[in-house]
Amino acid sequence: MIDYKFNEDVLLDEIRQYIDNTYKGHYSKTTYQSTEVIMGRGHGEGFCMGNIDKYSNRYGKKGDEDDWRKDLIKIVHYGILALYNHDITYGDNENENQ
C-alpha cells in the first residue's frame, strides 16, 4: 500500500465520481456526447485545452471556494480528455477503451 502524502488516492476517487456523474448527466442523454463529436471532427486538442484555459482563468474569480474547487476538478477532467485525444491523435492507443 502506498502512503500518499497529498491525498492523491482520495482525490482520484473524487475525480472518478465526478466523471461518472457526467455520464449520468445531461451531457450524455443523446447517442453521442458533444465531446465525442468535437473530437471526431478533429478539434479535440483545441476544445480540451480551451476548457483547461477557461477553468484555470476562472479559478478564484467566480463564486466561492466550493466553485473554485469545482473548477480545479474540471481542469483535471479536461486534462484526462486531452490525454485521450493526444493518444488517439499520435497513435498511442495502448490505453484506448480499457
Side-chain angles (χ1 to χ4, degrees):
M1 189 82 173
I2 296 174
D3 181 22
Y4 292 102
K5 304 226 182 269
F6 304 102
N7 287 343
E8 294 98 332
D9 55 338
V10 173
L11 294 169
L12 287 169
D13 286 342
E14 182 181 358
I15 298 297
R16 180 179 291 279
Q17 288 178 344
Y18 169 81
I19 292 170
D20 288 352
N21 284 330
T22 67
Y23 280 84
K24 298 173 189 170
H26 67 278
Y27 293 116
S28 63
K29 296 292 185 193
T30 60
T31 306
Y32 299 101
Q33 292 188 26
S34 59
T35 303
E36 289 177 271
V37 174
I38 292 165
M39 286 185 180
R41 291 179 178 164
H43 304 295
E45 181 178 344
F47 175 74
C48 292
M49 299 309 289
N51 277 295
I52 290 169
D53 287 344
K54 169 187 171 181
Y55 290 112
S56 66
N57 287 325
R58 187 169 84 173
Y59 176 80
K61 296 178 182 134
K62 181 178 178 185
D64 60 16
E65 292 87 355
D66 290 335
D67 295 313
W68 305 344
R69 193 170 190 285
K70 289 174 190 172
D71 287 339
L72 292 172
I73 290 171
K74 290 176 183 180
I75 291 167
V76 173
H77 185 200
Y78 280 108
I80 291 169
L81 293 172
L83 280 170
Y84 173 83
N85 186 75
H86 172 89
D87 291 348
I88 296 303
T89 301
Y90 298 103
D92 183 4
N93 298 328
E94 181 178 315
N95 295 319
E96 184 180 356
N97 297 322
Q98 287 187 5

